[in-house]
Amino acid sequence: MSEHKDVQRRIESIEGLVREIEKVSDPAIQSLSKQLVQSLMDLHGMGLERMLEITHHSGASGQKIIDEMGRDELVSSLLLLYGLHPLDLESRVLQALEKSRPYLRSHGGNVELVSVSESGAVTLKLQGSCHSCPSSAITLQSTVEQAIYDAAPDVTSIAVEGVVAEAAMASGFVPLANLAATANGRSAADAGAAGQTEWEDVFGLDALPPGILRKQDVAGEPLLFCQLNDDFYAYGMTCPGCGQPLEGGRLENAILACPICLQKYDLVHAGRAVDISPLHLQPIPLLKENGRARVAVLSRARGAG
């Protein structure tokens, strides 16, 4: 199990225990249990804050250690939980947008931060996405939201302006087990039950040579991966022209030809058909950072198949 998955599992376990406490019929026991949880959190928070102070006072090397803590997924989650993260909310959102820009640009899009309110509400403007590919617009939206919630789970909401606004409303994306869902009064289990998007680790992409197609199963879903111009791309395996698998297709200069119907698709530009504009491949959101790659698998799509 990856560290990310383990963190998710532990968060869900804690939330489940808290919900069980809330079901206790005896109000005195319920109150004492909540006080115990809060007292432990207060104690841990004080200890973490003191550890950061000692580290900070150790000089330049101490600040470097604090910065590393802020970048570590598990430690960063704890620091956010106790309000001790070294970066403010806007800085973390901006970092997340920078991380997602390579994927957006590969699909002809970009993103701009409009505002971050005092309550943690983020407003974005997405630009230049594929007008003829509603699924591409939704995956752009999902990728940006996931990057933001990874870096800033204390964000309370995300509003999107621009050309993909309508498609974004249709996606209803809420990442599993993010702290923002809990802050808004929704549990991670409730968010997951909505059947939205699950982000899964993909291993071995760095070993994929440029210009080579690879079929790889992720969470039971067969996906098509390739590397072009130092960027990685992921698509669904089905040709929208004939409904047959794309495995074995010919890839030349970023153009993939279906092995059955020979329909051609531009993999660098959201999988759009070269000569029949209404057709397009299913683009899969892919985020890659520090050697770790993840793709978004839509649980509703799996259920529909």
Side-chain angles (χ1 to χ4, degrees):
M1 179 181 292
S2 68
E3 183 179 64
H4 178 72
K5 289 283 188 181
D6 188 48
V7 171
Q8 284 186 327
R9 182 182 61 80
R10 291 177 184 274
I11 290 174
E12 292 170 5
S13 176
I14 292 171
E15 289 181 345
L17 292 172
V18 171
R19 287 195 297 273
E20 289 300 316
I21 291 174
E22 293 173 346
K23 294 178 182 178
V24 174
S25 57
D26 189 326
I29 294 179
Q30 187 179 101
S31 177
L32 286 173
S33 299
K34 289 183 176 180
Q35 288 180 42
L36 174 60
V37 172
Q38 187 61 54
S39 296
L40 286 172
M41 290 191 66
D42 291 342
L43 176 61
H44 293 162
M46 291 172 61
L48 285 171
E49 186 172 13
R50 182 61 182 147
M51 290 167 63
L52 290 175
E53 290 177 356
I54 294 173
T55 305
H56 176 73
H57 291 314
S58 65
S61 61
Q63 187 57 50
K64 183 178 179 180
I65 293 173
I66 291 176
D67 292 340
E68 287 292 329
M69 290 180 180
R71 287 189 289 268
D72 182 87
E73 185 173 15
L74 176 58
V75 178
S76 177
S77 297
L78 288 174
L79 295 178
L80 287 169
L81 183 62
Y82 290 98
L84 297 172
H85 200 282
L87 296 179
D88 61 22
L89 180 60
E90 183 171 345
S91 297
R92 286 181 278 119
V93 170
L94 287 170
Q95 283 189 353
L97 296 183
E98 284 301 313
K99 182 173 73 171
S100 63
R101 275 199 176 93
Y103 178 83
L104 296 178
R105 287 170 179 162
S106 73
H107 285 67
N110 206 345
V111 62
E112 175 187 346
L113 176 63
V114 177
S115 65
V116 178
S117 72
E118 293 184 0
S119 64
V122 172
T123 301
L124 304 173
K125 185 174 183 180
L126 292 179
Q127 304 166 329
S129 72
C130 176
H131 293 275
S132 63
C133 304
S135 65
S136 177
I138 292 174
T139 53
L140 294 183
Q141 161 86 7
S142 298
T143 302
V144 172
E145 287 189 343
Q146 180 63 34
I148 290 175
Y149 280 123
D150 279 351
D154 43 337
V155 164
T156 57
S157 66
I158 298 176
V160 179
E161 301 175 353
V163 295
V164 300
E166 293 182 3
M169 290 173 62
S171 70
F173 178 82
V174 178
L176 180 66
N178 69 72
L179 297 180
T182 306
N184 288 328
R186 296 177 60 211
S187 69
D190 293 334
Q196 304 293 329
T197 306
E198 297 177 5
W199 287 79
E200 302 285 348
D201 287 313
V202 181
F203 302 100
L205 277 191
D206 286 331
L208 180 61
I212 300 298
L213 295 173
R214 173 194 290 174
K215 175 191 173 184
Q216 186 167 335
D217 287 349
V218 180
E221 280 292 302
L223 301 179
L224 196 66
F225 294 91
C226 67
Q227 181 186 174
L228 299 166
N229 302 323
D230 297 324
D231 290 322
F232 289 90
Y233 300 84
Y235 288 95
M237 276 293 299
T238 303
C239 171
C242 64
Q244 298 301 310
L246 289 164
E247 186 177 13
R250 180 180 179 183
L251 179 61
E252 185 175 353
N253 297 327
I255 303 300
L256 170 63
C258 173
I260 306 300
C261 67
L262 303 181
Q263 175 61 51
K264 296 181 179 179
Y265 303 94
D266 187 342
L267 299 189
V268 174
H269 296 97
R272 290 176 290 191
V274 173
D275 52 2
I276 304 179
S277 58
L279 293 179
H280 61 87
L281 301 179
Q282 178 193 1
I284 305 297
L286 187 154
L287 291 175
K288 194 170 187 297
E289 184 183 34
N290 298 327
R292 179 188 182 191
R294 288 179 295 159
V295 294
V297 178
L298 296 178
S299 55
R300 63 186 175 192
R302 286 186 301 195

